[in-house]
Coordinates of all heavy atoms in Angstrom, one line a residue:
M11 N 0.8 -1.2 0.0 CA 0.0 0.0 0.0 C 0.9 1.2 0.0 O 1.8 1.3 0.7 CB -0.9 0.0 1.3 CG -1.8 -1.1 1.4 SD -3.2 -1.0 0.3 CE -4.3 0.0 1.3
A12 N 0.5 2.2 -0.8 CA 1.4 3.4 -0.9 C 0.5 4.6 -1.2 O -0.3 4.7 -2.1 CB 2.4 3.3 -2.1
E13 N 0.5 5.5 -0.3 CA -0.3 6.7 -0.4 C 0.3 7.7 -1.4 O -0.4 8.4 -2.1 CB -0.4 7.5 0.9 CG -1.6 6.9 1.8 CD -1.7 7.7 3.1 OE1 -1.4 8.9 3.1 OE2 -2.2 7.0 4.0
N14 N 1.6 7.8 -1.5 CA 2.3 8.8 -2.3 C 3.1 8.1 -3.4 O 4.0 8.7 -3.9 CB 3.2 9.6 -1.4 CG 2.4 10.5 -0.5 OD1 1.4 11.1 -0.9 ND2 2.8 10.5 0.7
W15 N 2.7 7.0 -3.8 CA 3.4 6.3 -4.9 C 2.4 5.5 -5.7 O 1.8 4.5 -5.3 CB 4.4 5.3 -4.3 CG 5.3 4.7 -5.4 CD1 5.1 3.5 -6.0 CD2 6.4 5.3 -5.9 NE1 6.1 3.4 -7.0 CE2 6.9 4.4 -6.9 CE3 7.1 6.5 -5.7 CZ2 8.1 4.7 -7.7 CZ3 8.3 6.8 -6.4 CH2 8.7 5.9 -7.4
Y16 N 2.2 6.0 -6.9 CA 1.3 5.3 -7.8 C 1.6 5.8 -9.2 O 2.1 6.9 -9.4 CB -0.2 5.5 -7.5 CG -0.6 7.0 -7.3 CD1 -1.0 7.7 -8.4 CD2 -0.7 7.5 -6.0 CE1 -1.3 9.1 -8.2 CE2 -1.0 8.8 -5.9 CZ -1.4 9.6 -7.0 OH -1.7 10.9 -6.8
P17 N 1.2 5.0 -10.2 CA 1.6 5.4 -11.6 C 0.7 6.5 -12.1 O -0.5 6.6 -11.7 CB 1.4 4.1 -12.4 CG 0.5 3.2 -11.6 CD 0.6 3.7 -10.2
I18 N 1.3 7.3 -13.0 CA 0.5 8.4 -13.7 C 0.8 8.1 -15.2 O 1.9 8.0 -15.6 CB 1.0 9.8 -13.3 CG1 0.6 10.1 -11.9 CG2 0.4 10.8 -14.3 CD1 1.2 11.4 -11.3
I19 N -0.3 7.9 -15.9 CA -0.2 7.6 -17.4 C -0.2 8.8 -18.2 O -1.2 9.6 -18.1 CB -1.3 6.6 -17.8 CG1 -1.1 5.3 -17.0 CG2 -1.2 6.3 -19.3 CD1 -2.3 4.4 -17.0
D20 N 0.7 9.0 -19.1 CA 0.7 10.1 -20.1 C 0.0 9.5 -21.3 O 0.5 8.8 -22.1 CB 2.1 10.5 -20.4 CG 2.2 11.6 -21.4 OD1 1.2 11.9 -22.1 OD2 3.3 12.2 -21.5
Y21 N -1.3 10.0 -21.5 CA -2.1 9.4 -22.5 C -1.7 9.9 -23.9 O -2.1 9.4 -24.9 CB -3.6 9.7 -22.3 CG -4.1 8.9 -21.1 CD1 -4.3 9.4 -19.9 CD2 -4.4 7.5 -21.3 CE1 -4.7 8.7 -18.8 CE2 -4.8 6.8 -20.2 CZ -5.0 7.3 -19.0 OH -5.5 6.6 -17.9
S22 N -0.8 10.9 -23.9 CA -0.3 11.3 -25.3 C 0.8 10.3 -25.7 O 1.1 10.3 -26.9 CB 0.3 12.8 -25.2 OG 1.5 12.8 -24.5
K23 N 1.3 9.5 -24.8 CA 2.3 8.5 -25.2 C 1.8 7.1 -25.2 O 2.3 6.2 -25.9 CB 3.5 8.6 -24.3 CG 4.3 9.9 -24.4 CD 5.4 9.9 -23.4 CE 6.3 11.2 -23.5 NZ 7.2 11.3 -22.4
C24 N 0.7 6.9 -24.4 CA 0.2 5.5 -24.2 C -0.4 5.0 -25.5 O -1.2 5.7 -26.2 CB -0.9 5.5 -23.1 SG -1.7 4.0 -23.0
K25 N 0.0 3.8 -25.9 CA -0.5 3.2 -27.2 C -1.6 2.2 -26.9 O -2.1 1.5 -27.8 CB 0.6 2.5 -27.9 CG 1.8 3.3 -28.2 CD 1.6 4.3 -29.2 CE 2.9 5.1 -29.6 NZ 2.6 6.4 -30.0
G26 N -2.0 2.0 -25.6 CA -3.0 1.0 -25.3 C -2.7 -0.4 -25.5 O -3.5 -1.3 -25.8
C27 N -1.3 -0.7 -25.3 CA -0.9 -2.1 -25.5 C -1.3 -3.0 -24.3 O -1.4 -4.2 -24.4 CB 0.6 -2.2 -25.7 SG 1.5 -1.7 -24.2
L28 N -1.6 -2.4 -23.2 CA -2.1 -3.0 -22.0 C -1.1 -3.9 -21.3 O -1.4 -4.7 -20.5 CB -3.4 -3.8 -22.2 CG -4.6 -2.9 -22.8 CD1 -5.8 -3.7 -22.9 CD2 -4.8 -1.6 -22.0
S29 N 0.2 -3.8 -21.7 CA 1.2 -4.6 -21.0 C 1.3 -4.3 -19.5 O 1.5 -5.1 -18.7 CB 2.6 -4.2 -21.6 OG 2.7 -4.6 -22.9
C30 N 1.1 -3.0 -19.2 CA 1.1 -2.6 -17.8 C 0.0 -3.3 -17.0 O 0.2 -3.8 -15.9 CB 1.0 -1.1 -17.6 SG -0.4 -0.4 -18.5
V31 N -1.2 -3.4 -17.6 CA -2.3 -4.1 -16.9 C -2.0 -5.5 -16.7 O -2.2 -6.1 -15.6 CB -3.6 -3.9 -17.8 CG1 -4.8 -4.5 -17.0 CG2 -3.8 -2.4 -18.1
E32 N -1.4 -6.2 -17.7 CA -1.1 -7.6 -17.6 C 0.1 -7.8 -16.6 O 0.1 -8.8 -15.9 CB -0.7 -8.2 -18.9 CG -1.8 -8.3 -19.9 CD -1.4 -8.5 -21.3 OE1 -0.3 -9.0 -21.6 OE2 -2.2 -8.1 -22.2
F33 N 1.0 -6.8 -16.6 CA 2.2 -7.0 -15.7 C 1.9 -6.9 -14.2 O 2.4 -7.6 -13.4 CB 3.3 -6.0 -16.1 CG 4.5 -6.1 -15.3 CD1 5.5 -7.0 -15.7 CD2 4.7 -5.3 -14.2 CE1 6.7 -7.1 -14.9 CE2 5.8 -5.4 -13.5 CZ 6.8 -6.3 -13.8
C34 N 1.1 -5.9 -13.9 CA 1.0 -5.6 -12.4 C 0.1 -6.6 -11.7 O -1.0 -6.9 -12.1 CB 0.3 -4.2 -12.3 SG 0.0 -3.8 -10.5
P35 N 0.7 -7.2 -10.7 CA 0.0 -8.3 -10.0 C -0.9 -7.7 -8.9 O -1.6 -8.5 -8.2 CB 1.1 -9.1 -9.3 CG 2.2 -8.1 -9.1 CD 2.1 -7.0 -10.2
N36 N -1.0 -6.4 -8.8 CA -1.7 -5.8 -7.6 C -3.0 -5.1 -8.0 O -3.6 -4.4 -7.2 CB -0.8 -4.8 -6.9 CG 0.4 -5.6 -6.3 OD1 0.3 -6.6 -5.7 ND2 1.6 -5.0 -6.5
N37 N -3.5 -5.4 -9.2 CA -4.8 -4.8 -9.6 C -4.9 -3.3 -9.5 O -5.9 -2.8 -9.0 CB -5.9 -5.5 -8.7 CG -7.2 -5.4 -9.3 OD1 -7.4 -5.4 -10.5 ND2 -8.3 -5.4 -8.4
V38 N -3.8 -2.6 -9.8 CA -3.8 -1.2 -9.7 C -4.6 -0.6 -10.9 O -5.3 0.4 -10.8 CB -2.3 -0.7 -9.7 CG1 -2.3 0.9 -9.9 CG2 -1.6 -1.0 -8.4
F39 N -4.4 -1.3 -12.1 CA -5.0 -0.8 -13.3 C -6.4 -1.4 -13.6 O -6.6 -2.6 -13.3 CB -4.1 -1.0 -14.5 CG -2.8 -0.4 -14.4 CD1 -1.6 -1.2 -14.1 CD2 -2.6 1.0 -14.6 CE1 -0.4 -0.6 -14.0 CE2 -1.3 1.5 -14.6 CZ -0.2 0.7 -14.3
K40 N -7.2 -0.7 -14.3 CA -8.4 -1.2 -15.0 C -8.3 -0.7 -16.4 O -7.6 0.2 -16.7 CB -9.6 -0.8 -14.3 CG -10.0 -1.6 -13.1 CD -11.4 -1.3 -12.6 CE -11.6 -2.1 -11.3 NZ -12.6 -1.5 -10.4
V41 N -9.1 -1.4 -17.3 CA -9.1 -1.0 -18.7 C -10.4 -0.2 -18.9 O -11.5 -0.7 -18.5 CB -9.0 -2.2 -19.6 CG1 -9.0 -1.7 -21.1 CG2 -7.7 -2.9 -19.3
E42 N -10.3 0.9 -19.5 CA -11.5 1.7 -19.9 C -11.3 2.2 -21.3 O -10.3 2.9 -21.6 CB -11.7 2.9 -18.9 CG -13.1 3.4 -18.8 CD -13.2 4.4 -17.7 OE1 -13.0 5.6 -17.9 OE2 -13.6 4.0 -16.6
N43 N -12.2 1.9 -22.2 CA -12.1 2.3 -23.6 C -10.8 2.0 -24.2 O -10.2 2.8 -24.9 CB -12.4 3.8 -23.7 CG -13.8 4.2 -23.2 OD1 -14.7 3.5 -23.4 ND2 -13.9 5.3 -22.6
G44 N -10.3 0.8 -23.9 CA -9.0 0.3 -24.5 C -7.7 0.9 -23.9 O -6.7 0.6 -24.4
K45 N -7.9 1.7 -22.9 CA -6.7 2.3 -22.3 C -6.7 2.0 -20.8 O -7.7 1.8 -20.2 CB -6.6 3.8 -22.4 CG -6.4 4.3 -23.9 CD -5.0 4.3 -24.2 CE -4.7 4.7 -25.7 NZ -4.6 6.1 -25.9
P46 N -5.5 1.9 -20.2 CA -5.4 1.6 -18.7 C -5.8 2.8 -17.9 O -5.5 4.0 -18.3 CB -4.0 1.2 -18.5 CG -3.2 1.9 -19.6 CD -4.1 2.0 -20.8
I47 N -6.5 2.7 -16.9 CA -6.7 3.7 -15.9 C -6.2 3.3 -14.6 O -6.2 2.1 -14.3 CB -8.2 4.2 -15.8 CG1 -9.1 3.0 -15.4 CG2 -8.7 4.8 -17.1 CD1 -10.4 3.5 -14.9
V48 N -5.7 4.2 -13.8 CA -5.2 3.9 -12.4 C -6.4 3.9 -11.5 O -6.7 4.9 -10.9 CB -4.1 4.9 -12.0 CG1 -3.5 4.5 -10.6 CG2 -3.0 4.9 -13.0
A49 N -7.0 2.7 -11.4 CA -8.2 2.6 -10.7 C -8.0 2.4 -9.2 O -8.8 2.8 -8.4 CB -9.0 1.4 -11.2
N50 N -6.9 1.7 -8.8 CA -6.7 1.4 -7.4 C -5.3 1.9 -7.0 O -4.4 1.0 -6.7 CB -6.8 -0.1 -7.1 CG -8.2 -0.6 -7.4 OD1 -9.2 -0.1 -6.9 ND2 -8.3 -1.5 -8.4
P51 N -5.0 3.2 -6.9 CA -3.7 3.7 -6.7 C -3.1 3.2 -5.3 O -1.9 3.0 -5.2 CB -3.8 5.2 -6.7 CG -5.3 5.5 -6.6 CD -6.0 4.3 -7.1
A52 N -4.0 3.0 -4.3 CA -3.5 2.5 -3.0 C -2.9 1.1 -3.1 O -2.2 0.7 -2.1 CB -4.7 2.6 -2.0
N53 N -3.2 0.4 -4.1 CA -2.7 -1.0 -4.2 C -1.2 -1.0 -4.7 O -0.5 -2.0 -4.6 CB -3.5 -1.8 -5.2 CG -4.8 -2.3 -4.7 OD1 -5.2 -1.9 -3.6 ND2 -5.5 -3.1 -5.4
C54 N -0.8 0.1 -5.2 CA 0.6 0.2 -5.8 C 1.6 0.1 -4.7 O 1.4 0.6 -3.5 CB 0.8 1.5 -6.5 SG 2.3 1.6 -7.5
V55 N 2.7 -0.6 -4.9 CA 3.7 -0.8 -3.9 C 4.8 0.3 -4.0 O 5.3 0.6 -5.1 CB 4.4 -2.2 -4.2 CG1 5.6 -2.4 -3.2 CG2 3.4 -3.3 -4.1
E56 N 5.1 0.9 -2.9 CA 6.0 2.0 -2.9 C 7.4 1.7 -3.5 O 8.0 0.7 -3.2 CB 6.2 2.5 -1.4 CG 6.9 3.9 -1.4 CD 6.7 4.5 0.0 OE1 6.5 3.8 1.0 OE2 6.8 5.7 0.1
F57 N 7.8 2.6 -4.4 CA 9.1 2.5 -5.1 C 9.1 1.3 -6.1 O 10.2 1.1 -6.8 CB 10.3 2.4 -4.2 CG 10.3 3.5 -3.2 CD1 10.4 3.3 -1.8 CD2 10.2 4.8 -3.6 CE1 10.4 4.4 -0.9 CE2 10.2 5.9 -2.7 CZ 10.3 5.7 -1.4
C58 N 8.1 0.6 -6.3 CA 8.0 -0.3 -7.4 C 7.9 0.5 -8.7 O 7.2 1.4 -8.8 CB 6.7 -1.2 -7.3 SG 6.5 -2.4 -8.7
R59 N 8.8 0.1 -9.7 CA 8.7 0.7 -11.0 C 8.5 -0.4 -12.0 O 8.9 -0.2 -13.2 CB 9.9 1.6 -11.3 CG 10.0 2.9 -10.5 CD 11.2 3.7 -10.9 NE 11.3 4.9 -10.1 CZ 10.8 6.1 -10.5 NH1 10.2 6.2 -11.7 NH2 10.9 7.2 -9.7
G60 N 7.9 -1.5 -11.6 CA 7.8 -2.6 -12.5 C 7.1 -2.3 -13.8 O 7.6 -2.7 -14.9
C61 N 6.0 -1.7 -13.7 CA 5.2 -1.4 -15.0 C 5.9 -0.4 -15.8 O 5.9 -0.5 -17.1 CB 3.8 -1.0 -14.7 SG 3.6 0.4 -13.5
Q62 N 6.6 0.5 -15.2 CA 7.4 1.5 -16.0 C 8.6 0.8 -16.7 O 8.8 1.0 -17.9 CB 7.9 2.6 -15.1 CG 8.7 3.7 -15.8 CD 9.4 4.6 -14.8 OE1 10.1 4.2 -13.9 NE2 9.2 5.9 -15.0
K63 N 9.3 0.0 -16.0 CA 10.6 -0.5 -16.5 C 10.4 -1.8 -17.3 O 11.0 -2.0 -18.3 CB 11.5 -0.8 -15.3 CG 11.9 0.5 -14.7 CD 13.3 0.4 -14.0 CE 13.8 1.8 -13.9 NZ 14.5 2.3 -13.0
A64 N 9.5 -2.7 -16.8 CA 9.4 -4.0 -17.5 C 8.2 -4.1 -18.5 O 8.2 -4.9 -19.4 CB 9.2 -5.1 -16.4
A65 N 7.2 -3.2 -18.3 CA 6.1 -3.4 -19.2 C 5.9 -2.3 -20.3 O 5.8 -2.6 -21.4 CB 4.8 -3.4 -18.3
C66 N 6.1 -1.0 -19.9 CA 5.8 0.0 -20.9 C 7.0 0.3 -21.7 O 8.0 0.8 -21.3 CB 5.3 1.3 -20.2 SG 4.7 2.5 -21.4
Q67 N 6.8 0.1 -23.0 CA 7.9 0.4 -24.0 C 7.8 1.8 -24.5 O 8.6 2.2 -25.4 CB 7.9 -0.6 -25.1 CG 8.1 -2.0 -24.7 CD 7.9 -3.0 -25.8 OE1 8.1 -2.6 -27.0 NE2 7.5 -4.2 -25.5
Y68 N 6.8 2.6 -24.1 CA 6.5 3.9 -24.7 C 6.8 5.1 -23.8 O 6.3 6.2 -24.1 CB 5.1 3.9 -25.2 CG 4.8 2.8 -26.2 CD1 4.2 1.6 -25.8 CD2 5.2 2.9 -27.5 CE1 4.0 0.5 -26.7 CE2 5.0 1.9 -28.5 CZ 4.4 0.7 -28.0 OH 4.3 -0.4 -28.9
N69 N 7.4 4.8 -22.7 CA 7.7 5.9 -21.7 C 6.5 6.6 -21.3 O 6.5 7.9 -21.0 CB 8.6 6.9 -22.4 CG 10.1 6.5 -22.2 OD1 10.4 5.8 -21.2 ND2 10.9 6.9 -23.1
A70 N 5.4 5.9 -21.2 CA 4.1 6.6 -20.8 C 3.8 6.6 -19.3 O 2.9 7.2 -18.9 CB 3.0 5.9 -21.6
I71 N 4.7 5.9 -18.5 CA 4.4 5.8 -17.1 C 5.4 6.5 -16.3 O 6.6 6.3 -16.4 CB 4.3 4.3 -16.7 CG1 3.2 3.6 -17.4 CG2 4.1 4.1 -15.2 CD1 3.1 2.1 -17.1
T72 N 5.0 7.4 -15.4 CA 5.8 8.0 -14.4 C 5.0 7.8 -13.1 O 4.0 7.1 -13.1 CB 6.0 9.5 -14.6 OG1 4.7 10.1 -14.8 CG2 6.8 9.7 -15.9
Y73 N 5.5 8.3 -12.0 CA 4.9 8.1 -10.7 C 4.7 9.4 -10.0 O 5.3 10.4 -10.3 CB 5.8 7.2 -9.8 CG 5.9 5.8 -10.5 CD1 6.9 5.5 -11.4 CD2 4.9 4.8 -10.3 CE1 7.0 4.3 -12.1 CE2 5.0 3.6 -11.0 CZ 6.0 3.4 -11.9 OH 6.0 2.2 -12.6
Y74 N 3.7 9.4 -9.1 CA 3.3 10.6 -8.4 C 4.5 11.3 -7.8 O 4.6 12.5 -8.0 CB 2.3 10.2 -7.3 CG 2.0 11.4 -6.4 CD1 1.1 12.4 -6.9 CD2 2.5 11.4 -5.1 CE1 0.8 13.4 -6.0 CE2 2.1 12.5 -4.3 CZ 1.3 13.5 -4.7 OH 1.0 14.5 -3.9
Q75 N 5.4 10.6 -7.2 CA 6.6 11.3 -6.6 C 7.5 11.9 -7.6 O 8.2 12.9 -7.3 CB 7.4 10.2 -5.8 CG 6.7 9.8 -4.5 CD 6.7 10.9 -3.4 OE1 7.5 11.8 -3.5 NE2 5.9 10.7 -2.4
D76 N 7.5 11.4 -8.8 CA 8.4 12.0 -9.8 C 7.9 13.4 -10.1 O 8.7 14.3 -10.4 CB 8.3 11.2 -11.1 CG 8.8 9.7 -11.0 OD1 9.6 9.5 -10.1 OD2 8.4 8.9 -11.8
H77 N 6.7 13.6 -10.1 CA 6.1 14.9 -10.4 C 6.2 15.8 -9.2 O 6.4 17.0 -9.3 CB 4.6 14.8 -10.8 CG 4.5 14.0 -12.1 ND1 4.4 14.6 -13.3 CD2 4.5 12.7 -12.3 CE1 4.4 13.7 -14.2 NE2 4.4 12.5 -13.7
K78 N 5.9 15.3 -8.0 CA 5.9 16.1 -6.8 C 7.3 16.7 -6.5 O 7.4 17.8 -5.9 CB 5.5 15.1 -5.6 CG 4.9 15.9 -4.4 CD 4.5 14.9 -3.4 CE 4.4 15.6 -2.0 NZ 4.7 14.7 -0.9
N79 N 8.3 15.9 -6.8 CA 9.7 16.4 -6.5 C 10.2 17.5 -7.5 O 11.2 18.1 -7.2 CB 10.6 15.2 -6.5 CG 10.3 14.3 -5.3 OD1 9.7 14.8 -4.3 ND2 10.7 13.1 -5.4
R80 N 9.4 17.7 -8.5 CA 9.9 18.7 -9.5 C 9.6 20.1 -8.9 O 8.5 20.3 -8.3 CB 9.1 18.5 -10.8 CG 10.0 17.7 -11.8 CD 9.3 17.5 -13.1 NE 9.6 16.2 -13.6 CZ 8.9 15.4 -14.4 NH1 7.7 15.9 -14.8 NH2 9.3 14.3 -14.8
R81 N 10.4 21.0 -9.2 CA 10.2 22.4 -8.7 C 9.2 23.2 -9.4 O 8.7 24.1 -8.9 CB 11.6 23.1 -8.7 CG 12.6 22.4 -7.7 CD 12.7 23.3 -6.4 NE 13.3 22.5 -5.4 CZ 14.3 22.9 -4.7 NH1 14.9 24.0 -4.9 NH2 14.7 22.2 -3.7
C82 N 9.1 22.9 -10.7 CA 8.1 23.7 -11.4 C 7.3 22.9 -12.4 O 7.5 21.7 -12.5 CB 8.9 24.8 -12.2 SG 10.2 24.2 -13.3
Ligands
SF4_20 S1 4.6 0.2 -9.9 FE1 4.4 -2.0 -9.5 S2 2.7 -2.2 -8.1 FE2 2.5 -0.1 -9.0 S3 1.2 -0.3 -10.7 FE3 3.3 -0.7 -11.5 S4 3.7 -2.9 -11.4 FE4 1.9 -2.4 -10.2
SF4_21 S1 2.3 -0.4 -21.1 FE1 2.5 1.8 -21.6 S2 1.7 2.1 -23.7 FE2 1.0 0.1 -22.9 S3 -1.0 0.5 -22.1 FE3 0.4 0.7 -20.4 S4 0.9 2.8 -20.3 FE4 0.0 2.4 -22.3

């Protein structure tokens, strides 16, 4: 369980391959209109980057903390 760690999908890059949905064992994603949505962010495991590194070939996945730590 992670309050401040969950994936954010960049839909301008997402191709809808659904590898991330198949990869994640924690039911974080659901599919809506052929694209993944982050339906259960609390299920994501803190500092896991599995779906980003192992599943998504399109650089479409970042994480909440990646954005929070940016200054602007
Ligand atoms: S980071 Fe890990 S736990 Fe979180 S959605 Fe991706 S594969 Fe699932
Ligand atoms: S793996 Fe990447 S491109 Fe494929 S559905 Fe997930 S976010 Fe989109």
Side-chain angles (χ1 to χ4, degrees):
M11 299 283 276
E13 273 181 30
N14 291 313
W15 188 266
Y16 52 83
I18 293 173
I19 298 166
D20 181 342
Y21 289 103
S22 71
K23 295 180 179 171
C24 175
K25 305 288 186 212
C27 69
L28 304 183
S29 295
C30 54
V31 183
E32 286 163 29
F33 179 85
C34 180
N36 298 314
N37 201 28
V38 171
F39 300 105
K40 277 190 181 152
V41 181
E42 202 171 88
N43 299 322
K45 292 277 175 90
I47 57 166
V48 181
N50 298 303
N53 284 7
C54 188
V55 176
E56 195 163 20
F57 306 128
C58 176
R59 287 183 183 268
C61 53
Q62 180 189 52
K63 295 207 154 139
C66 187
Q67 298 175 25
Y68 301 99
N69 275 332
I71 297 178
T72 54
Y73 297 89
Y74 173 74
Q75 287 286 342
D76 297 337
H77 296 265
K78 202 177 159 211
N79 291 338
R80 265 180 214 153
R81 293 255 161 130
C82 53

